[in-house]
């Protein structure tokens, strides 16, 4: 791996497993210093130990606005700045509309668009002080499914994140801050379990993906995020990048 991101400081939320861990690992392999944020401290501490001395673990409940502000400040103090923010952590409200409770829907918004906006605002002054930065927010191709059964509440949450990303790109471009959304399919622990326990359904799902597979958390999703944070793609902002093997159509 190259060291293109050497000297950059990256926050990754939900970094204790799955996509978050894959993204953090890919960024670290390119020289970035990692602030690994998670609700369960032991999980992010384990990842920090694997990534080495340039990684540190931070416990944060992303539904707590004060905790987000404090975490951003602690990261900036620990690493002398913030250059990259990856908003990955999210509670997911799934199920038919008649079954999704108000509490589950509200938790989806608090952990999704509200937490995303809070983290972006908390990191903004630190990025400005560094001369710019890159924000990567996670959305989902569930928002563009032709059949929204069981995905309506989740899609609503993720579409709100896309709108916030576009606004940040438009408003903060003058500060050399880029904002992008990715919509990945990846082998998170939950999806891996579903594939293993539902092989026939999984095979049918794979057939809806042109590349016929679900992405690897580091190799496919993490490496793509690292590339988006690099100088070769520095003119790209405000877009949604579907890292899903060609399944979704965001046109």
């Amino acid at each position: 791996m190259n060291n293109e991101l050497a000297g950059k400081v990256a926050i990754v939320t939900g970094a204790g497993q799955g996509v978050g861990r894959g993204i953090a690992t890919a960024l670290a392999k390119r020289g970035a210093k990692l602030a690994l944020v998670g609700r369960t401290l032991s999980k992010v501490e384990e990842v920090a130990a694997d990534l080495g001395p340039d990684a540190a673990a931070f416990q944060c409940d992303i539904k707590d606005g004060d905790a987000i502000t404090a975490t951003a400040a602690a990261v900036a103090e620990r690493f002398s700045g913030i250059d990259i923010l990856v908003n990955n952590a999210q509670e997911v409200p799934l199920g038919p509309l008649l079954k999704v409770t108000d509490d589950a829907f509200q938790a989806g918004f608090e952990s999704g668009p509200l937490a995303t906006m809070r983290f972006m605002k908390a990191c903004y002054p630190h990025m400005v002080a560094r001369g710019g930065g890159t924000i990567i927010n996670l959305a989902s191709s569930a928002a563009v499914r032709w059949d929204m059964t069981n995905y309506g509440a989740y899609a609503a949450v993720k579409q709100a994140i896309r709108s916030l990303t576009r606004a940040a790109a438009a408003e903060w471009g003058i500060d050399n801050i880029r904002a992008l959304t990715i919509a990945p399919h990846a082998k998170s622990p939950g999806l891996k379990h579903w594939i293993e326990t539902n092989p026939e359904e999984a095979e049918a799902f794979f057939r809806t993906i042109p590349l016929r597979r679900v992405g690897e958390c580091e190799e496919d999703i993490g490496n793509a995020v690292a590339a988006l944070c690099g100088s070769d793609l520095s003119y790209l902002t405000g877009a949604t990048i579907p890292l899903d093997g060609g399944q979704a159509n965001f046109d």
Side-chain angles (χ1 to χ4, degrees):
M1 292 296 179
N2 61 47
N3 286 316
E4 183 180 10
L5 300 179
K8 302 293 185 182
V9 177
I11 294 177
V12 180
T13 70
Q17 62 183 11
V19 175
R21 183 170 187 159
I23 291 172
T25 302
L27 293 173
K29 287 183 177 179
R30 286 161 177 79
K33 298 177 182 179
L34 267 297
L36 308 164
V37 176
R39 182 169 55 186
T40 303
L41 185 60
S42 60
K43 287 186 177 181
V44 284
E45 285 179 332
E46 177 186 338
V47 180
D50 287 343
L51 296 185
D54 285 334
F58 296 83
Q59 185 174 31
C60 179
D61 179 355
I62 61 169
K63 293 191 290 184
D64 183 336
D66 291 338
I68 287 174
T69 301
T71 298
V75 172
E77 181 177 0
R78 168 69 171 77
F79 291 112
S80 301
I82 299 170
D83 303 286
I84 297 167
L85 168 64
V86 180
N87 279 306
N88 164 65
Q90 167 83 66
E91 291 185 25
V92 177
L94 289 175
L97 297 180
L98 291 176
K99 296 283 183 69
V100 175
T101 65
D102 286 358
D103 287 345
F105 197 35
Q106 184 171 335
F109 266 96
E110 289 179 346
S111 64
L114 183 54
T116 293
M117 185 169 69
R118 283 170 166 169
F119 254 117
M120 289 196 299
K121 290 167 69 175
C123 292
Y124 171 81
H126 301 292
M127 290 183 173
V128 170
R130 303 271 278 191
T134 304
I135 297 167
I136 306 288
N137 296 326
L138 270 73
S140 172
S141 59
V144 294
R145 291 171 65 99
W146 69 269
D147 179 0
M148 298 294 292
T149 302
N150 295 324
Y151 289 95
Y154 175 53
V157 167
K158 288 301 191 181
Q159 284 293 72
I161 291 174
R162 292 184 69 205
S163 297
L164 291 172
T165 305
R166 288 286 302 172
E171 295 174 13
W172 299 348
I174 195 171
D175 300 306
N176 196 33
I177 295 173
R178 298 184 298 123
L180 296 159
T181 307
I182 63 168
H185 277 330
K187 290 181 182 176
S188 64
L191 184 56
K192 286 178 67 175
H193 176 73
W194 178 80
I195 290 171
E196 291 167 359
T197 55
N198 301 277
E200 292 184 5
E201 291 180 58
E203 183 58 34
F205 176 68
F206 294 155
R207 288 196 293 271
T208 69
I209 301 173
L211 293 184
R212 296 299 192 271
R213 65 182 180 87
V214 174
E216 299 293 338
C217 291
E218 179 188 343
E219 292 83 353
D220 294 312
I221 312 306
N223 286 345
V225 169
L228 291 170
C229 293
S231 59
D232 286 347
L233 295 171
S234 61
Y235 197 51
L236 179 63
T237 192
T240 296
I241 295 92
L243 303 176
D244 63 353
Q247 185 188 51
N249 182 2
F250 280 88
D251 294 343

